[in-house]
Amino acid sequence: MFNKILIANRGEIAVRIIRACKELGERTVAVFSEEDRDALHTRLADGALCIGPANSADSYLNVSSIISAVEIADAGALHPGYGFLSENAAFAEVCENSGVKFIGPTSQIIRLMGNKVSAKKEAERAGVPVLPWSEKPIEDEKEALEVSKKIGFPLIIKASSGGGGRGMKLVHTQAALASSFHLARREALSIFGDAEVFLEKYCIKPRHIEIQILADEHGNVIHLGERECSIQRRHQKILEEAPSLFVDPKLREKMGDASVKLCKAIGYVGVGTIEYLVDEDKKFYFMEMNTRVQVEHPVTEEVTGIDILKEQIKLAAGHKVLMKQKEVRFKGHSIECRINAEDPNTYVPSPGKITELYVPGGPGVRVDTAIYCNYKVPPHYDPMIAKLIVYAETRRDAIKKMTSALEEFHIEGIKTNIPLHLKIMKDHDYIAGDVTIDFLSRWS
Ligand code: ADP
């Protein structure tokens, strides 16, 4: 299709992409920082090019180095993975102008959906429900006060360019509004380089449930059901599953239809995810769209039997969506635990050398990772070092399988959050499916 694909990422997702490319008969070129010379993605790709020093700003986020690598490798396409440059519209535009196919939607769509204000407007236009909000960016505290009277407290101040669970401020009272507003703008500017914020109603104890989308350039869009992602720490997911116990077939159809409608309305092409908050009355509200493959895509792969990475590459090459909506079948239950190199109690990252490693296996156990024995987990990047994914006929069996796999997983030399995941697997509320976004904070 593309002859050669350059993978502008590292870690488990780079390895995952290389595997998908191999199965599709595509040659691969990895890029790596000086720190990642011995990384698995560097070794597994057909070729590899160094793009700069360890610091991501100088390597995995360095647009000119990556574009030079594309030219040297003569790659026909570039896969951005998740994180790094995957949702950077300016980078996608550079790819478009350099004649390399960016595996993802167009820069125009990334720009539209990457800004939370324009994305919400598109959702509203497509008839997808959103929480009461300011309906535009808020420029000063007077305006913030007026809007707060309309939407009420508690409310959340969000950075339009926010992401990764950062750039949000929860405000409980009118007295705290002005100071939170200024702080939110300052933080948004320093983290995202864009001070723009807006106000949104804060939903009490909702669930985070998202819909996976596949869309082709011929106008066909299907959804692959939902993922339950309510187990979060500081608004960052740490465990996901499919299906959600809370979603009945009727709600699945409604959320799926809304997501398909939105993608059709904006002319979306590729894989994507629409994220929703769902309240206790099963009302759902559009939160944002991720225009890339997500960390948690494997749970959907497990319950649908569809290889999302391979489909993503095929869609980028102009292929049609592989099946019709009514042909999508859901079977069994899948759970994913994000294994992080961090202290399970303090959450402080724990980089260093892995001195002993035993990876769990057996039927229904999948480990997506780039670590190996004697590998040194660098301190420069995301602390997630593996994804442990299980599949079983029922949720009950999936929990048992995950417990046993977590107990088998043996990583020496660094600390990991495996004990935290084991605690979740044994938690009565978790077992009962009583999971809302405050789940982990109930423990502290
Ligand atoms: P990001 O782009 O940083 O991931 P999101 O808008 O996706 O930000 O929100 C991340 C998380 O923050 C959600 O999963 C949810 O837990 C929480 N959150 C966001 N908006 C609201 C809201 N209006 N009410 C309650 N929780 C919210």
Side-chain angles (χ1 to χ4, degrees):
M1 288 180 287
F2 295 111
N3 186 30
K4 204 188 261 181
I5 298 178
L6 182 132
I7 295 130
N9 215 302
R10 65 179 302 282
E12 71 83 23
I13 193 64
V15 171
R16 172 76 185 88
I17 298 163
I18 292 168
R19 288 178 178 147
C21 289
K22 286 192 175 169
E23 287 179 39
L24 290 170
E26 296 286 314
R27 283 187 298 154
T28 52
V29 186
V31 291
F32 63 92
S33 69
E34 283 162 12
E35 181 81 23
D36 277 344
R37 204 166 282 281
D38 295 322
L40 197 60
H41 76 283
T42 309
R43 296 184 186 188
L44 289 184
D46 299 317
L49 291 163
C50 184
I51 46 164
N55 186 6
S56 342
D58 299 321
S59 48
Y60 298 104
L61 291 171
N62 185 334
V63 173
S64 52
S65 288
I66 293 173
I67 295 297
S68 301
V70 166
E71 282 162 9
I72 293 166
D74 194 22
L78 176 146
H79 198 305
Y82 53 69
F84 293 127
L85 295 167
S86 61
E87 286 180 299
N88 184 316
F91 176 65
E93 201 170 346
V94 172
C95 290
E96 286 158 8
N97 295 335
S98 323
V100 59
K101 173 69 191 170
F102 177 86
I103 301 183
T106 59
S107 55
Q108 195 193 349
I109 292 284
I110 298 176
R111 198 163 281 128
L112 185 70
M113 300 316 270
N115 179 291
K116 288 179 198 270
V117 168
S118 53
K120 274 172 91 93
K121 283 188 179 159
E122 288 303 326
E124 280 187 304
R125 225 194 306 269
V128 179
V130 300
L131 283 164
W133 70 301
S134 53
E135 289 168 30
K136 60 176 177 22
I138 295 301
E139 309 282 341
D140 58 51
E141 58 180 81
K142 201 172 128 250
E143 231 184 334
L145 185 67
E146 274 163 31
V147 171
S148 77
K149 284 182 187 147
K150 210 176 72 193
I151 63 182
F153 291 94
L155 58 79
I156 193 162
I157 306 175
K158 280 192 185 180
S160 303
S161 304
R166 300 195 303 168
M168 281 182 273
K169 286 263 163 294
L170 174 59
V171 190
H172 288 283
T173 60
Q174 192 174 311
L177 184 63
S179 60
S180 301
F181 172 75
H182 293 297
L183 186 61
R185 276 181 69 90
R186 270 201 307 277
E187 280 189 11
L189 183 64
S190 78
I191 307 175
F192 309 108
D194 172 11
E196 190 178 288
V197 296
F198 65 94
L199 270 54
E200 181 178 276
K201 186 168 181 58
Y202 185 73
C203 193
I204 312 277
K205 296 192 182 182
R207 287 170 166 80
H208 173 126
I209 297 173
E210 59 190 31
I211 301 284
Q212 175 72 53
I213 285 292
L214 301 183
D216 66 28
E217 59 185 43
H218 314 282
N220 305 302
V221 185
I222 62 167
H223 73 84
L224 301 183
E226 80 283 2
R227 291 187 284 262
E228 162 66 68
C229 310
S230 298
I231 301 202
Q232 306 179 344
R233 182 181 166 266
R234 294 202 180 146
H235 306 306
Q236 285 240 53
K237 302 160 191 164
I238 68 157
L239 182 153
E240 306 90 358
E241 55 187 284
S244 163
L245 267 194
F246 196 64
V247 176
D248 52 53
K250 215 171 113 199
L251 181 58
R252 180 169 305 121
E253 196 181 325
K254 267 165 65 180
M255 293 178 75
D257 285 351
S259 308
V260 167
K261 219 163 74 185
L262 174 56
C263 287
K264 285 192 170 164
I266 60 173
Y268 192 83
V269 177
V271 307
T273 301
I274 322 273
E275 297 191 330
Y276 296 96
L277 288 176
V278 185
D279 69 14
E280 54 187 6
D281 299 325
K282 300 205 169 173
K283 288 210 185 79
F284 63 92
Y285 304 96
F286 170 86
M287 198 162 37
E288 66 162 350
M289 176 167 195
N290 286 145
T291 55
R292 51 166 168 85
V293 70
Q294 282 190 297
V295 175
E296 58 272 24
H297 74 273
V299 293
T300 302
E301 297 186 321
E302 296 298 320
V303 298
T304 59
I306 294 170
D307 185 318
I308 293 173
L309 251 303
K310 286 206 294 201
E311 290 315 310
Q312 184 184 25
I313 296 166
K314 283 163 43 187
L315 291 171
H319 288 214
K320 281 192 173 158
V321 165
L322 79 168
M323 57 176 73
K324 298 214 159 33
Q325 186 65 55
K326 59 177 190 302
E327 292 164 348
V328 178
R329 294 272 176 276
F330 302 102
K331 192 168 177 288
H333 199 94
S334 181
I335 306 174
E336 171 182 281
C337 289
R338 299 187 185 195
I339 311 296
N340 293 340
E342 67 189 16
D343 186 304
N345 300 311
T346 61
Y347 300 102
V348 171
S350 172
K353 186 169 170 180
I354 295 174
T355 51
E356 252 178 60
L357 178 67
Y358 178 77
V359 176
V365 176
R366 163 177 171 185
V367 182
D368 281 18
T369 186
I371 60 169
Y372 51 85
C373 196
N374 291 326
Y375 172 70
K376 241 173 93 189
V377 178
H380 313 278
Y381 313 110
D382 192 277
M384 191 183 78
I385 51 166
K387 303 188 311 204
L388 174 57
I389 303 122
V390 299
Y391 172 81
E393 280 298 304
T394 64
R395 183 170 187 268
R396 209 170 211 249
D397 288 344
I399 293 174
K400 283 190 201 152
K401 203 183 276 281
M402 181 57 90
T403 307
S404 131
L406 285 164
E407 281 167 355
E408 262 184 47
F409 214 151
H410 180 72
I411 306 174
E412 282 292 326
I414 55 165
K415 290 180 190 156
T416 76
N417 63 348
I418 290 175
L420 175 74
H421 285 299
L422 272 169
K423 200 171 153 196
I424 297 172
M425 288 302 126
K426 290 175 181 150
D427 183 275
H428 289 297
D429 288 345
Y430 176 72
I431 293 168
D434 179 12
V435 281
T436 44
I437 58 168
D438 62 320
F439 178 84
L440 278 185
S441 59
R442 293 182 209 163
W443 289 358
S444 48

